[in-house]
Amino acid sequence: MQLGMHVPIFDIEGGTTAVAGELARVGVAAEEAGVSWLSFMDHYFQIEPTGLPAESPMLEGYTTLGFLAAHTSTVELGLLVTGVTYRHPGLLAKIVTTLDVLSGGRAALGVGAAWYEREHRGLGVPFPPVAERFERLEETLRICAQMWDTANDGPFEGKHYQLAETLCSPQPIHRPRVLIGGGGERKTLRLVAQYGDACNLFGSSPEDVAHKLDVLRRHCDDLGRDYDAISKTITANNPRPEPATRDEFVRAMADYAKLGVQTVIITPTTGTPAAWIDGMAPAVAQLAQLG
């Protein structure tokens, strides 16, 4: 089992002028620890599940990943997850391609249907009904796949998006891994089975994750997809990982490893995330022993 880091909070000790330096240290700490994944959120306002108000600091995700690309050399970089409503899919494919090229082939496309209505309304971004957002998500997945196909730069005609050309030059160094976030059984997990290289589930309990993976397996069977070809990841919050209780956290992850979960992603919740990552670093070797 591998360890990933997801940084959702930018209330950095020292204030706004300290953010860039701290994030550079996050990149160094993540790679020195040996984590496999480093991500940020795709939000414009802070979200309530962090325990902070919307007015708290929030950075634009892909700009932040570009900054981290210059301060890292091995870790996979992505958003957990890109809201499909925030960028036209042709531009999204170009943005992720640019990140991949400038990071030396380390970009991932984490993507989902979006949900935070307040930031949409606040910044004037259209927020269609959930059924339409899932339609747009599926078209976005198809457009990205076409733009990363060197044999096909022709048009795309969808219900919501029409592209006269899907030209993408340069191509990614490595085709970005497509991670689809969410556990919706009827739509999200079907999209994972059809288009995804990885899924991301909430690590609420081993029983819940086992059920979601069973649903994913059934979708794979229906579509003729190899279930084992899809990487399984969870965002862990039960128990809450902290350096002081690191061993307890690792023991709790053993049940997820038995289910085939390959990566557990955890979130620093302090104003000094680099030091928090340093404190969790021994968990990398401990998790690797779980399989």
Side-chain angles (χ1 to χ4, degrees), residues 120-160:
H120 286 77
R121 304 298 183 204
L123 297 185
V125 177
F127 187 68
V130 64
E132 180 180 329
R133 299 202 305 275
F134 274 99
E135 291 174 351
R136 289 177 178 272
L137 176 56
E138 182 159 11
E139 289 191 17
T140 295
L141 292 165
R142 291 170 55 201
I143 288 166
C144 288
Q146 186 167 325
M147 290 189 68
W148 294 332
D149 179 357
T150 57
N152 185 3
D153 60 4
F156 177 90
E157 291 291 335
K159 178 179 178 180
H160 301 287

Side-chain angles (χ1 to χ4, degrees), residues 24-157:
R25 287 188 288 275
V26 162
V28 172
E31 294 200 326
E32 288 183 346
V35 306
S36 62
W37 166 274
L38 179 59
S39 60
F40 302 94
M41 296 195 297
D42 194 21
H43 287 294
Y44 299 143
F45 297 171
Q46 183 56 273
I47 62 173
E48 291 181 0
T50 62
L52 297 172
E55 295 80 8
S56 294
M58 176 53 57
L59 299 183
E60 195 282 319
Y62 281 104
T63 309
T64 306
L65 289 175
F67 176 81
L68 264 294
H71 291 277
T72 56
S73 59
T74 60
V75 70
E76 186 177 23
L77 300 169
L79 296 186
L80 196 65
V81 294
T82 303
V84 73
T85 49
Y86 297 135
R87 301 165 191 85
H88 189 283
L91 298 181
L92 175 61
K94 188 68 175 178
I95 290 167
V96 176
T97 297
T98 301
L99 176 64
D100 191 76
V101 170
L102 296 182
S103 67
R106 295 184 288 121
L109 172 59
V111 66
W115 60 271
Y116 193 13
E117 184 172 3
R118 176 175 174 177
E119 65 187 355
H120 286 77
R121 304 298 183 204
L123 297 185
V125 177
F127 187 68
V130 64
E132 180 180 329
R133 299 202 305 275
F134 274 99
E135 291 174 351
R136 289 177 178 272
L137 176 56
E138 182 159 11
E139 289 191 17
T140 295
L141 292 165
R142 291 170 55 201
I143 288 166
C144 288
Q146 186 167 325
M147 290 189 68
W148 294 332
D149 179 357
T150 57
N152 185 3
D153 60 4
F156 177 90
E157 291 291 335

